[in-house]
Amino acid sequence: MSDARTAILARMRASLGQRAEDTARRAAVADRLQRAPRGVIPARGQLDPAARTELFCKMAEAVQASVARVASAAAVPGEVCAYLKTHNLPARVRMGADARLAAMPWAGQPHLEVASGRAEGSDLATVSHALGGVAETGTLVLTAGTDNPTTLNFLPEHHIAVVRESDLVGDYESIWDRLRQIHGKGVMPRTVNMITGPSRSADIEQTLLLGAHGPRALHIIVVAD
């Protein structure tokens, strides 16, 4: 720890009347981190799977995301092409090394060019696979890595995200539970991105502007299980 950081933390402890050698306080913090107690769970997302999916789609559309529901993962490439055509975009997308996306029949779309790797400035549309979604707010949850590079989520004009119905949960606490189950304590992904609709800002004269700090369009493909 740097001297500057040590000095800042020491001043914070002093202002709170705490001592650096307060073992009881250290033990309480360690216990909370180990147990990861759940916060307040809103009732809105506590639904059966079908109703939870409906709520997720409704809430996502309420924040200007578009939503398409497909019967299987095999239908995803066709839906991606339909989205590109509808928005008069080139038949080209970029995606990471996600095994779930790689298993989809992209070759069945002969006019679609699929690039791989991190997003570049010239990319207009990218495809990611979400870890899950939160029904109460219509929020997508994506983790960073070579399978789904974070640049895919924020650099292009159009972000297409795939999520399975079985990965939709009612609340944020359930998402954190899943992350701990998948990765384990101390091995969490470097970044967890929670995306609620396309990028937006109303900083200038309270006028809502989409695409201010990222994609101006978010298209969510919900895959039935």
Side-chain angles (χ1 to χ4, degrees):
M1 187 181 298
S2 69
D3 292 340
R5 185 179 179 188
T6 300
I8 291 171
L9 293 176
R11 287 196 295 271
M12 292 173 63
R13 281 193 294 268
S15 68
L16 294 171
Q18 304 296 331
R19 303 186 310 276
E21 65 277 8
D22 189 339
T23 55
R25 188 178 180 85
R26 287 176 177 270
V29 171
D31 176 66
R32 182 177 179 84
L33 291 174
Q34 179 62 36
R35 291 187 298 106
R38 294 165 68 84
V40 175
I41 307 296
R44 180 167 59 185
Q46 307 311 299
L47 304 166
D48 62 76
R52 189 163 58 231
T53 299
E54 292 292 340
L55 177 62
F56 174 82
C57 295
K58 175 184 176 182
M59 298 304 294
E61 290 173 337
V63 289
Q64 289 79 47
S66 57
V67 179
R69 299 177 66 174
V70 297
S72 68
V76 169
E79 172 56 32
V80 169
C81 287
Y83 177 84
L84 297 176
K85 183 177 180 180
T86 298
H87 291 80
N88 198 30
L89 293 168
R92 184 181 188 275
V93 295
R94 185 180 294 275
M95 64 183 67
D98 191 285
R100 295 163 295 185
L101 292 177
M104 296 173 184
W106 300 98
Q109 304 297 325
H111 301 296
L112 178 66
E113 178 186 349
V114 179
S116 62
R118 295 176 296 179
E120 299 179 357
S122 58
D123 293 323
L124 292 178
T126 56
V127 180
S128 300
H129 202 298
L131 170 85
V134 181
E136 64 174 332
T137 55
T139 299
L140 288 170
V141 181
L142 301 101
T143 54
T146 55
D147 52 347
N148 290 286
T150 295
T151 52
L152 300 179
N153 308 338
F154 300 118
L155 193 57
E157 287 285 296
H158 297 259
H159 179 209
I160 303 171
V162 181
V163 64
R164 296 183 302 190
E165 278 191 4
S166 59
D167 290 332
L168 299 178
V169 298
D171 52 82
Y172 288 93
E173 294 291 343
S174 296
I175 281 290
W176 290 112
D177 288 343
R178 180 173 298 174
L179 279 163
R180 295 185 189 101
Q181 292 168 2
I182 294 173
H183 299 280
K185 284 184 176 294
V187 199
M188 297 289 274
R190 178 169 182 163
T191 304
V192 178
N193 295 305
M194 296 187 174
I195 301 173
T196 307
S199 170
R200 74 199 61 217
S201 175
D203 292 342
I204 302 175
E205 296 183 353
Q206 299 300 298
T207 299
L208 183 64
L209 173 67
L210 297 181
H213 309 293
R216 61 184 175 87
L218 172 63
H219 185 57
I220 304 172
I221 304 176
V222 180
V223 182
D225 292 295

